């Protein structure tokens, strides 16, 4: 079973960026409205999400619990939006084997994200596939 | 008669002891011969591995001691000495004298290439003797293990020396990447790397963020905030670092950071590290690069403390 836990998508929501007076950098980094929409979606899926937190130029982060499992998400933007998901557990990250409940979460998220009109052209990638010629998979779990 | 009997019984007892000693000796010799070459190889490998760990700990301690002694010596060298002042000598003279002497010694070595070659070859052979755990089989597996441990200790100390040198080179590179030393990248230098014009202008501007780069990511929420934001976990760039320098540093350390947006003043749109041909090291290197120097020094001090508890030893070769 192959898990792809990075989603790229388009959205017509505003990017929410606020630049400084000189226009040389951001005061509020892009992707906050999309992060908040994703927060709502996670809540609707039965997750217990914490607040949307700024991670400076890396984007916006949400930690949440799905069926007792602590998970994490970072949303940022290049040309399209990118949402990275991960299991927060130490062991799954050290040994590279994610628990079954994480795969179940991704499968459900894939369906939910595709059917939500706020997110368009959703594609799924493994970390190494991001920003490569790979066009992305339609589902996160294959 | 009683005296003769006593002497005889003493004689018998002595003979019994002698025979027993001879038998023990013969059994020991037989046992020694029964140690197979394979058991000696195993004992040697085990001894070398154990020695490597011990030698590495001692190496860390010796290096820490060397740095402290070097610092003290340097401080003494540059401090003004009243005797020197009376003679009209400056601290520079005290620095210059040993340098001149060292230069003369090097010139002397270089003046005879044949001797230089022989010395170098001699050093290579000596190093081989100090590090090779299998220069022949010892009479017993236990002796083989003991000899191999000595060479393992030598190898452990050398490995720590090499690792310390490599770490020094890495810290120099990171200091450049974070803007502490060297030239600060400009619009032109980014453009020369093939970066599009608008992104070059954005990257050459100052890094305005105040978050720095966390080694243990902030999503790990069971550690106290004072530790998470301390120099043991957070690397801060130099105040003169550019947005591009910090972006590239982050890109190299975090595989969940691949790019971002550019302000409208510089043309808007997005930038991607991979499209800019930035490369990201493999996970263990990435992990090591991202670990702040204070955290590494704390680990080094801990290992050095363990090394200080070990008995000191001279470099040893097999007999």
């Amino acid at each position: 079973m192959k898990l792809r836990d990075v989603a790229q998508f388009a959205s017509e929501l505003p990017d929410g960026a606020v630049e400084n007076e000189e226009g040389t950098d951001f005061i509020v980094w892009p992707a906050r409205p999309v992060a908040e929409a994703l927060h709502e979606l996670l809540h609707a899926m039965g997750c217990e999400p914490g607040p949307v937190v700024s991670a400076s130029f890396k984007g916006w982060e949400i930690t949440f619990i799905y069926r007792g499992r602590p998970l994490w998400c970072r949303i940022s933007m290049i040309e399209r939006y990118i949402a990275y998901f991960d299991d927060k557990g130490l062991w799954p990250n050290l040994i590279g084997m994610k628990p079954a409940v994480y795969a179940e979460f991704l499968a459900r998220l894939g369906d939910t994200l595709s059917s939500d009109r706020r997110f368009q052209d959703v594609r799924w990638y493994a970390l190494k596939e991001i920003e490569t010629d790979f066009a992305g998979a339609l589902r996160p779990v294959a | 008669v009683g005296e003769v009997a006593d002497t005889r019984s003493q004689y018998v007892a002595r003979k019994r002891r002698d025979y027993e000693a001879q038998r023990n000796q013969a059994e020991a010799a037989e046992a020694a011969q029964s140690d197979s070459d394979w058991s000696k190889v195993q004992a040697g490998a085990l001894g070398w591995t154990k020695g490597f760990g011990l030698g590495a700990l001692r190496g860390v301690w010796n290096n820490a001691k060397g740095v402290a002694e070097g610092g003290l010596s340097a401080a003494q060298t540059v401090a003004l000495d009243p005797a020197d002042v009376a003679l009209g000598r400056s601290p520079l003279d005290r620095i210059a004298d040993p340098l001149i002497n060292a230069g003369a010694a090097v010139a002397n070595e270089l003046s005879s290439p044949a001797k230089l070659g022989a010395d170098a070859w001699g050093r290579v052979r000596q190093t081989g003797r100090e590090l090779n755990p299998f220069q022949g089989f010892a009479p017993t597996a236990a002796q083989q293990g003991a000899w191999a441990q000595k060479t393992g200790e030598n190898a452990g100390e050398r490995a720590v020396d090499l690792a310390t040198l490599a770490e020094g080179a890495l810290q120099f590179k990171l200091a450049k990447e974070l803007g502490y030393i060297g030239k600060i990248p400009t619009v032109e230098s980014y453009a020369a790397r093939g970066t599009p014009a608008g992104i070059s202008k954005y990257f050459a501007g100052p890094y305005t963020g105040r978050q720095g780069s966390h080694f243990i990511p902030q999503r790990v929420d069971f550690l106290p905030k004072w530790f998470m934001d301390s120099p043991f976990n957070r690397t801060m760039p130099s105040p003169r670092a550019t947005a591009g320098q910090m972006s590239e540093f982050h890109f190299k350390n975090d595989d969940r950071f691949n790019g971002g947006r550019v302000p409208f003043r510089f043309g808007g749109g997005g930038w991607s590290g991979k499209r800019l041909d930035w490369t990201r090291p493999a996970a263990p290197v990435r992990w090591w690069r991202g670990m702040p120097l204070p955290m590494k020094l704390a680990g080094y001090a801990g290992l050095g403390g363990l090394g200080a508890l070990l008995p000191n030893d001279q470099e040893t070769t097999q007999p």
Side-chain angles (χ1 to χ4, degrees):
Chain A
M1 184 168 60
K2 183 169 176 66
L3 299 183
R4 290 188 166 93
D5 51 8
V6 185
Q8 274 201 326
F9 49 84
S11 176
E12 286 169 6
L13 290 169
D15 71 7
V18 179
E19 295 181 5
N20 62 16
E21 279 184 18
E22 302 80 27
T24 53
D25 215 340
F26 297 99
I27 301 171
V28 179
W29 292 84
R32 183 172 186 170
V34 164
E36 283 169 350
L38 208 53
H39 185 274
E40 283 174 26
L41 185 142
L42 291 171
H43 199 267
M45 280 176 67
C47 301
E48 300 165 43
V52 175
V53 176
S54 170
S56 183
F57 58 85
K58 288 174 283 179
W60 298 86
E61 295 181 353
I62 307 167
T63 54
F64 57 98
I65 293 171
Y66 176 76
R67 290 184 50 196
R69 189 86 207 159
L71 307 177
W72 168 86
C73 170
R74 174 187 288 167
I75 303 101
S76 61
M77 188 181 186
I78 300 181
E79 299 300 344
R80 303 185 342 131
Y81 289 96
I82 306 181
Y84 303 89
F85 292 87
D86 198 12
D87 187 293
K88 278 181 69 185
L90 181 65
W91 281 111
N93 282 300
L94 279 183
I95 62 172
M97 289 181 69
K98 306 289 167 125
V101 69
Y102 182 62
E104 178 203 295
F105 163 76
L106 284 177
R108 274 193 65 197
L109 178 69
D111 292 341
T112 313
L113 212 54
S114 298
S115 60
D116 192 314
R117 290 186 179 182
R118 290 174 294 181
F119 310 101
Q120 293 117 35
D121 189 23
V122 182
R123 290 284 187 278
W124 290 90
Y125 302 81
L127 273 175
K128 284 183 180 174
E129 295 166 346
I130 282 286
E131 295 294 291
T132 64
D133 293 336
F134 178 59
L138 290 173
R139 296 190 176 281
V141 183
Chain B
V1 174
E3 200 173 307
V4 171
D6 280 350
T7 306
R8 181 171 172 71
S9 66
Q10 283 171 356
Y11 171 80
V12 169
R14 193 175 72 245
K15 276 294 178 192
R16 273 188 184 154
R17 281 200 301 274
D18 287 350
Y19 289 144
E20 195 172 350
Q22 281 174 15
R23 195 169 58 243
N24 287 343
Q25 208 171 355
E27 280 174 4
E30 195 179 344
Q33 282 173 352
S34 70
D35 281 347
S36 66
D37 288 351
W38 174 236
S39 68
K40 289 174 191 171
V41 168
Q42 285 177 308
L46 201 66
W48 194 89
T49 309
K50 181 183 168 193
F52 188 90
L54 294 174
L57 289 178
R58 194 158 53 226
V60 172
W61 165 239
N62 286 340
N63 284 347
K65 218 166 48 169
V67 167
E69 286 169 359
L72 192 65
S73 169
Q76 284 170 344
T77 303
V78 296
L80 277 177
D81 185 339
D84 278 351
V85 174
L87 290 169
R89 280 165 56 89
S90 74
L92 279 179
D93 293 322
R94 266 182 285 159
I95 297 169
D97 290 347
L99 286 178
I100 290 167
N101 291 340
V106 170
N108 186 40
E109 280 278 315
L110 293 174
S111 65
S112 170
K115 183 174 177 298
L116 192 67
D119 286 354
W121 177 237
R123 274 188 217 111
V124 169
R125 291 184 62 191
Q126 177 64 19
T127 304
R129 279 196 293 273
E130 286 170 4
L131 303 183
N132 180 5
F134 296 112
Q135 297 164 46
F137 284 119
T140 66
Q143 283 171 308
Q144 188 79 40
W147 289 353
Q149 183 174 325
K150 293 291 180 192
T151 53
E153 287 176 19
N154 294 338
E157 287 192 55
R158 299 284 168 88
V160 163
D161 290 346
L162 287 176
T164 307
L165 273 178
E167 181 60 32
L170 173 65
Q171 288 303 322
F172 184 76
K173 192 168 175 287
L174 292 178
K176 269 181 86 173
E177 284 182 23
L178 291 165
Y180 285 103
I181 55 173
K183 287 182 184 168
I184 294 297
T186 59
V187 178
E188 292 74 26
S189 64
Y190 278 115
R193 289 172 66 184
T195 311
I199 300 175
S200 293
K201 285 180 191 163
Y202 174 49
F203 279 174
Y207 166 66
T208 55
R210 285 182 294 274
Q211 286 202 337
S213 175
H214 290 78
F215 172 59
I216 299 171
Q218 286 170 291
R219 61 179 175 272
V220 175
D221 48 15
F222 60 84
L223 291 170
K225 188 165 168 52
W226 64 261
F227 171 77
M228 293 296 287
D229 288 343
S230 74
F232 289 95
N233 189 52
R234 183 166 66 161
T235 300
M236 292 300 285
S238 144
R240 51 184 208 137
T242 66
Q245 280 181 302
M246 203 53 186
S247 298
E248 194 166 358
F249 182 77
H250 252 297
F251 175 85
K252 285 180 176 173
N253 291 344
D254 186 350
D255 56 0
R256 289 177 176 83
F257 175 65
N258 286 286
R261 299 293 285 174
V262 177
F264 282 109
R265 179 176 170 173
F266 303 121
W271 65 268
S272 154
K274 284 187 184 171
R275 276 184 258 148
L276 294 172
D277 286 334
W278 291 357
T279 51
R280 185 180 277 138
V285 179
R286 199 165 66 227
W287 178 78
W288 187 252
R289 273 178 51 93
M291 189 189 288
L293 184 60
M295 187 186 269
K296 287 180 184 169
L297 288 175
Y300 207 82
L303 291 174
L306 282 176
L309 299 176
L310 298 172
N312 210 351
D313 200 358
Q314 297 301 311
E315 293 196 343
T316 311
T317 57
Q318 290 184 24

